[in-house]
Amino acid sequence: MAELWGLYQGLLLAWNKGIRWLCAEVDSRWVTQLVKNNMVNSNEFSPLIRAIQELIRRNWQVEITHVYREANFAADYLATLACSIPLGLHVFNSLPKGVLQFISQDTYEVVHPRFVIS
């Protein structure tokens, strides 16, 4: 559920900031499949999934892709950082200390192999 809320809040923030082309990399295959599936089953997540889909259908280009957590160390670092700050949405006007090294690794596609069974 946290991943769905994170995607929703991220899309809403991007829209409100005027971003009109966005590639959101999500490390949950489940979230990626739920959002891309046009047939939303009735379950506890349905209203949030529909809200995400409505945001995606606005007049902008949005691509939602699945990536393994190891391919996005910057996001993993920020998720860890979130555990040490008060609950709620936090928008940083500059990079939090320590995240730049992970952005560099992600940019240069530093490989951290892992065995995956799919």
Side-chain angles (χ1 to χ4, degrees):
M1 183 69 134
E3 293 91 351
L4 284 170
W5 276 111
L7 179 58
Y8 174 77
Q9 291 292 337
L11 290 171
L12 189 60
L13 179 64
W15 175 264
N16 290 337
K17 291 279 188 180
I19 295 169
R20 294 300 178 255
W21 188 90
L22 178 71
C23 177
E25 295 180 337
V26 181
D27 67 8
S28 169
R29 186 178 307 273
W30 174 76
V31 167
T32 306
Q33 291 171 345
L34 280 176
V35 170
K36 288 184 172 184
N37 183 359
N38 290 327
M39 306 252 329
V40 178
N41 297 328
S42 287
N43 61 45
E44 60 187 301
F45 307 117
S46 299
L48 184 53
I49 295 166
R50 278 194 282 278
I52 291 169
Q53 290 171 336
E54 287 173 15
L55 271 173
I56 292 170
R57 284 192 296 269
R58 290 183 180 182
N59 188 24
W60 62 334
Q61 297 295 313
V62 177
E63 181 182 348
I64 309 292
T65 60
H66 172 259
V67 295
Y68 291 106
R69 181 173 286 118
E70 291 81 3
N72 196 344
F73 276 98
D76 195 47
Y77 174 84
L78 291 171
T80 303
L81 176 65
C83 294
S84 66
I85 57 180
L87 185 63
L89 177 64
H90 297 270
V91 178
F92 298 99
N93 293 320
S94 59
L95 291 174
K97 187 176 182 177
V99 77
L100 186 57
Q101 69 182 13
F102 297 108
I103 290 174
S104 297
Q105 288 180 8
D106 292 341
T107 300
Y108 294 109
E109 298 179 356
V110 173
V111 177
H112 300 275
R114 154 180 118 151
F115 183 69
V116 177
I117 299 173
S118 53

